[in-house]
Amino acid sequence: MKKQEFLSILAVEFNVSNDSLSETSVLEEIPGWDSMSILVIMSMVDERFGLILTANDFVEIKTIGELFTKIGPEHIK
Amino acid sequence: MFSLQQKCVVITGASSGIGKQTAIICSRMGARVALFGRNEERLSDVLELMEGEGHRYFSFDITDDNQLEVALADVFNTMGMVDGFVHSAGIQKILPFKLTNPEIFNNQFKVNVLAGFESCRIMLRKNYFNPAGSSIVLISSINGVIGAAGQVAYSTSKGAVISGAKSLAIELAPRNIRVNSISPGMVENTQMTKGLINQLSSEWEVKNKAEYPLGWVSAEDIANSCVFLLSRASQKITGTNIILDGGFSAR
């Protein structure tokens, strides 16, 4: 999957405009981010890539770019 | 009074967690136990841990009604009348409500609710239950009584178990079959709990534990209540839901 495609899906999930998200966006600063939002991302990543992320992974993942790194270049580029 | 001597008990979800512990303790109390689960290897491991003789395991998918019917017939033919049934099989998917589509509801309902009631229905139609008196125990959850974010589908399914058990209790009382549910709080060391901690963080675990005056419960705590509900000691208890949550919901 292309990074841009993932950003678009993310934008739909969080109901924000497409161009408001980039690799440098901090997850917690996405408008509407709340305690459930990590679960939204976990579910997206599981569904699209079959990859199970844990809450502890998100201690290190602060930005969308870091999320991409975690998902890995074999899945997203 | 609390003995399960001579009784035959069928347990779903018997390969791990609450079901596994219930199988072990039922065997210690003298019951012959039929273990239902998906993983044959794990079921045979549970069998190793059980006491007494006459236990059997059946590995299949309990959401498949045909396989369920075959397995229950096999239990009846080889182990005799069923005195107790414990529906412990359950799955949980933590998801924000906006992602909780009908498929998410369906998947959890199939295992948590329908497999349990369908087992009961098959055993009723075929007269597998011991007419001298039988007991059905359906494992619900504290989330069937109390809300939790991300658990709309799961708690809906567990609430259905509690209310379904009540109506079934009324309907089956004339046949001398008791029906009850148990609503456990967080259970230490089960796969479900581990999955939940993975998703919600170790911080969440510490905070959640602090909300349990007696601490999180163990699979053994729940198994003991199952034995009570299966035994003659609870002969006038039907249609009730035992909240087993270390005092979590007492506040």
Side-chain angles (χ1 to χ4, degrees), chain B residues 119-170:
Chain B
S119 300
C120 296
R121 197 174 75 92
I122 292 168
M123 289 188 278
L124 266 176
R125 285 172 63 94
K126 308 272 183 177
N127 293 317
Y128 294 163
F129 282 118
N130 190 341
S134 326
S135 170
I136 294 167
V137 182
L138 306 170
I139 304 297
S140 173
S141 162
I142 192 62
N143 292 328
V145 185
I146 276 180
Q151 304 201 21
V152 174
Y154 180 73
S155 61
T156 305
S157 75
K158 291 302 192 176
V161 167
I162 298 170
S163 46
K166 288 185 192 294
S167 287
L168 193 56
I170 304 297

Side-chain angles (χ1 to χ4, degrees), chain A residues 1-18 21 30 40-41 43-45 47-49 64 68 76, chain B residues 98-99:
Chain A
M1 182 184 284
K2 293 219 167 66
K3 286 178 178 175
Q4 199 50 51
E5 195 184 339
F6 191 85
L7 288 174
S8 304
I9 298 168
L10 212 56
V12 171
E13 288 300 347
F14 285 91
N15 207 12
V16 294
S17 68
N18 229 335
L21 297 180
I30 297 175
V40 172
I41 296 196
S43 166
M44 275 177 66
V45 172
E47 201 175 300
R48 315 271 162 176
F49 311 109
I64 292 179
F68 287 165
I76 197 159
Chain B
K98 63 181 179 180
L99 297 182

Side-chain angles (χ1 to χ4, degrees), chain B residues 24-45:
Chain B
I24 294 169
I25 296 189
C26 281
S27 77
R28 284 187 202 147
M29 298 304 286
R32 282 169 295 114
V33 184
L35 309 152
F36 286 7
R38 272 172 306 181
N39 188 316
E40 183 165 2
E41 200 182 324
R42 288 209 313 240
L43 286 170
S44 91
D45 289 346

